[in-house]
Amino acid sequence: MSQMQNVERQLREMILGLEIGPGERLTERWIESQFGASRTPVRAALLRLETEGLVGRDGRGWTVAPINLAELGQIAVYREAVEVAAVRLTAALDDRGGIEVIAAMLDSCDAETPREEWHRVGLDFHIELARLSGNEFLLRAVRDAMTRLSRARWLEVRDEKALGRAWTEHHAILAAVRSGDAEQAARLLSAHIAGSRDRLVTSLHDDRRGLRARGFAVVAA
């Protein structure tokens, strides 16, 4: 792994895991000292993270992108288009055995599972379901959307009721795909994405003051 890739990976993990909060300022010098990297690979890593919407330029420095409530709604529209297309392809496959791997992944989470793992599995559910479609372009689109949602979803996993509802909906989607019912799988997935968007935006909007007190930037547009 190159120095640039190492910086990019570690910075992405820190941003998505909220170790570096939304709206926090970054300097190239701090990153250089944090990761023992030189300026050129640091700048290249930041440019790549900028294309993912995770950081933005702020004068001569950089800022971690705020959580944007309007963007969450736009991502939901994007997700519905690509994820529903992918799940239709998956449900039409002759061999849908890969579904059982995803089901086992969901079942691996229980009351003793750390929230970090619930968060990871929730993201991976959507990515792996798209992977089964066999369409690389849809997979990339879903992965990109879930990366952009990761920080907001991390804040959501604090709500046990929301987690339980999401897991129930995930299993229902898998059941429809397992039976080869593409229309039902598409309806369930579409409703799941819309419901998740509504709960997430409402939760973040209602908790904006608390999030700001923690130093997290949340904007409405």
Side-chain angles (χ1 to χ4, degrees), residues 178-195:
R178 187 182 287 113
S179 67
D181 191 339
E183 292 304 316
Q184 177 69 350
R187 281 193 296 270
L188 290 172
L189 182 54
S190 180
H192 170 69
I193 292 171

Side-chain angles (χ1 to χ4, degrees), residues 158-202:
R158 299 173 299 173
D159 185 340
E160 291 189 11
K161 289 184 179 179
L163 274 179
R165 184 185 299 113
W167 252 242
T168 297
E169 293 173 359
H170 287 167
H171 278 293
I173 293 164
L174 289 184
V177 174
R178 187 182 287 113
S179 67
D181 191 339
E183 292 304 316
Q184 177 69 350
R187 281 193 296 270
L188 290 172
L189 182 54
S190 180
H192 170 69
I193 292 171
S196 176
R197 173 203 60 206
D198 293 344
R199 291 190 298 271
L200 188 55
V201 169
T202 298

Side-chain angles (χ1 to χ4, degrees), residues 84-96 99 132-133 176-183 185:
V84 168
V87 84
R88 287 182 183 277
L89 290 174
T90 301
L93 293 173
D94 292 330
D95 180 6
R96 298 184 294 276
I99 289 296
L132 291 180
S133 73
V177 174
R178 187 182 287 113
S179 67
D181 191 339
E183 292 304 316

Side-chain angles (χ1 to χ4, degrees), residues 9 21 23 107 175 212:
R9 179 184 61 80
D107 291 339
R212 284 173 176 168

